[in-house]
Amino acid sequence: MFQENVWMERCLELARLGSGKVAPNPMVGAVVVAHGKIIGEGWHHQFGMAHAEVNAIENVKDKSLLKEAVLYVNLEPCFHYGKTPPCANLIIAHNIPEVVVGMRDPNPLVAGKGVELLRNAGIKVSVGVLEDKCLALNKRFICSYTKHRPYVILKWAQTLNGFLSPDATKMSKEQFEKERHITGFLVQKLVHKWRTQEDAIMVATHTVELDNPALDARAWEGRAPARVVLDQKLRLPLDLKVFNAPQKTFIVNGSKDLIKDNLHYLKVDFSSDWLAQMLAKLHHERVQSLVIEGGAKLLNTVVEQLLWDEAIVFYSPKHISTGVVAPTIGGSLGEQEEIDGVKMRQYFNL
């Protein structure tokens, strides 16, 4: 069992290399082991490209060893034809006698069928090695199939005395600009890195009016997420940074469904569960993860309706006299660390 865990840990390491590149597919890594040694390994590099098992088998120099090997993979090998052929068929074709799987695939097109196909071909299959870690790695993918909505991550920074930002109505514009940044450069750079790993990032109307954010990932190399702007009455001028091309922007509103260049208008009924409607529409657009950054009213709405999965909160040592009160978050405490004097805590809505 110990050795199985070691090989599966390596699968997970490889799988993470696809972060921010493979969605809406899951992150998958595979390792081929013969006589106690790795003879081939691979991961899913990019959406639409070869899967992890294909790359791992291709990486084996002496293919005759495959008949004596064990293939480890963190997710059940696919059973169906998509952008690539089924990996289960490839494993059978190479006469690999044993496969160890971290978790079953929640996709109903697979959902146990890959394991069944392998077993029917006489292959020994074990399922559930390091399952908790495998589930955690692909929590966004799993949420898409089990909850039929994006995996929702709340993110905000707050001062030592519990404020999201200064009160812009009670100070000059110059003073507000001076005090509104609660965290420093390192935290901001980390946030941009995280943005490259998520599908979309959301803010509400007032935040756009106040900050004119770009909502890009300019401080870190990688893909920029799609932007989601809550603009019920379509009052925001289109020359704001958040609407700039080529980055896709979803505009959640109460008037129209329309696609015009990079702007995708999503109409919801604000008199009835608009948040659930929005999440369903984003799911239809194949958005698997959504980071919600503000403002306070939007964050509180999501918290109150329990439509969140994870929260990242930065606790700054900064103190301001008055401002916008931060949400109160519950849930289970996850990782904690300190970055440039700012405490970061992760919460899960279990």
Side-chain angles (χ1 to χ4, degrees):
M1 178 61 74
F2 172 77
Q3 201 59 49
E4 281 190 343
N5 289 352
V6 170
W7 302 136
M8 191 59 69
E9 285 281 9
R10 179 57 181 162
C11 290
L12 293 169
E13 287 177 4
L14 292 167
R16 291 186 191 98
L17 296 175
S19 177
K21 302 171 186 174
V22 301
N25 282 354
M27 292 176 279
V28 184
V31 170
V32 184
V33 176
H35 307 297
K37 295 182 179 180
I38 293 177
I39 60 171
E41 58 182 28
W43 68 94
H44 186 29
H45 290 240
Q46 188 86 36
F47 175 69
M49 295 178 65
H51 288 186
E53 300 95 320
V54 176
N55 289 328
I57 291 170
E58 181 63 29
N59 189 245
V60 176
K61 292 182 179 179
D62 184 356
K63 297 293 192 292
S64 67
L65 291 173
L66 290 171
K67 296 179 181 180
E68 308 165 19
V70 181
L71 185 142
Y72 293 82
V73 61
N74 59 290
L75 184 73
E76 177 180 5
C78 62
F79 168 83
H80 64 295
Y81 282 87
K83 287 188 175 293
T84 59
C87 292
N89 288 353
L90 181 69
I91 294 167
I92 294 168
H94 281 284
N95 296 309
I96 297 173
E98 184 175 354
V99 176
V100 178
V101 176
M103 60 168 280
R104 292 182 186 270
D105 194 327
N107 183 346
L109 292 175
V110 185
K113 298 182 182 72
V115 168
E116 182 181 8
L117 182 66
L118 294 174
R119 285 175 173 163
N120 288 342
I123 296 172
K124 179 183 177 182
V125 183
S126 304
V127 181
V129 175
L130 296 186
E131 186 173 29
D132 287 347
K133 289 187 176 182
C134 295
L135 289 166
L137 176 69
N138 279 309
K139 56 194 175 186
R140 297 157 181 81
F141 176 75
I142 295 165
C143 182
S144 179
Y145 282 102
T146 58
K147 298 182 180 180
H148 308 291
R149 64 162 174 79
Y151 185 86
V152 177
I153 304 168
L154 307 181
K155 187 196 73 64
W156 71 83
Q158 65 182 70
T159 63
L160 185 64
N161 55 335
F163 292 116
L164 289 175
S165 67
D167 188 342
T169 65
K170 297 183 179 179
M171 60 183 65
S172 67
K173 183 178 180 180
E174 291 75 18
Q175 186 180 3
F176 175 78
E177 286 296 323
K178 183 179 179 180
E179 295 192 11
R180 73 186 182 95
H181 292 295
I182 293 174
T183 58
F185 173 75
L186 287 181
V187 171
Q188 291 170 26
K189 190 168 184 177
L190 176 62
V191 168
H192 280 231
K193 176 185 177 183
W194 287 345
R195 285 180 179 178
T196 67
Q197 299 168 0
E198 308 299 343
D199 286 349
I201 178 171
M202 180 180 186
V203 292
T205 311
H206 183 62
T207 300
V208 177
E209 290 176 323
L210 199 61
D211 295 344
N212 190 20
L215 296 185
D216 56 20
R218 60 192 177 278
W220 196 268
E221 184 178 351
R223 68 164 185 172
R227 300 167 294 203
V228 181
V229 177
L230 180 61
D231 187 12
Q232 180 178 353
K233 298 181 180 180
L234 295 176
R235 73 175 196 237
L236 292 171
L238 296 181
D239 60 353
L240 293 171
K241 294 177 184 177
V242 78
F243 301 119
N244 289 348
Q247 207 171 332
K248 181 187 290 186
T249 300
F250 295 103
I251 304 171
V252 182
N253 70 95
S255 304
K256 61 184 179 181
D257 282 309
L258 177 71
I259 298 176
K260 185 177 180 181
D261 299 324
N262 69 309
L263 306 181
H264 293 238
Y265 293 84
L266 301 180
K267 180 182 176 181
V268 298
D269 180 0
F270 282 90
S271 67
S272 175
D273 298 328
W274 70 266
L275 183 58
Q277 294 174 55
M278 180 196 76
L279 293 175
K281 289 204 169 195
L282 290 174
H283 172 70
H284 180 74
E285 296 287 343
R286 305 188 81 179
V287 174
Q288 281 192 355
S289 61
L290 174 66
V291 181
I292 300 179
E293 293 198 355
K297 184 177 179 181
L298 174 59
L299 289 168
N300 279 309
T301 297
V302 180
V303 171
E304 289 165 7
Q305 295 189 24
L306 299 177
L307 285 173
W308 63 281
D309 300 287
E310 183 178 333
I312 305 292
V313 184
F314 294 97
Y315 297 88
S316 169
K318 187 173 180 178
H319 186 286
I320 57 178
S321 57
T322 184
V324 179
V325 178
T328 300
I329 196 74
S332 172
L333 186 62
E335 292 184 12
Q336 301 182 72
E337 60 180 295
E338 186 168 314
I339 305 162
D340 196 25
V342 175
K343 293 180 180 178
M344 187 278 287
R345 290 178 183 169
Q346 177 187 45
Y347 301 90
F348 292 102
N349 184 20
L350 301 178

